[in-house]
Amino acid sequence: MLVTTDWLQPTHTATTVSMIDGEERIQDGPFAETKETLGGFFVLNVPDLDAAIAWAKKCPAARHGKVEVRATAMGG
């Protein structure tokens, strides 16, 4: 059953969240190099980038890898 569909804003609009040695790292730009792939995604309805980053920090993937935060095309 299809729930929703959309496309992501371009990679240059991304913010990447990760935890390295217990310290949060937030950087502008995408995490993926051409050899890396997107492993999955979450869709959150949040008011702004700061709220999205706060949720990304809670994601277990941020502790073991990187979480890329991007708006959807329709979500702005």
Side-chain angles (χ1 to χ4, degrees), residues 16-67:
T16 301
V17 177
S18 60
M19 301 292 284
I20 299 173
D21 296 327
E23 191 172 319
E24 67 184 47
R25 302 272 171 97
I26 300 171
Q27 66 185 46
D28 291 335
F31 84 93
E33 297 177 16
T34 55
K35 63 184 176 185
E36 296 175 319
T37 61
L38 182 65
F41 67 93
F42 299 93
V43 177
L44 303 174
N45 185 2
V46 295
D48 55 32
L49 179 59
D50 290 335
I53 289 171
W55 276 103
K57 289 179 193 176
K58 296 176 185 181
C59 181
R63 291 184 201 95
H64 306 288
K66 297 184 180 184
V67 177

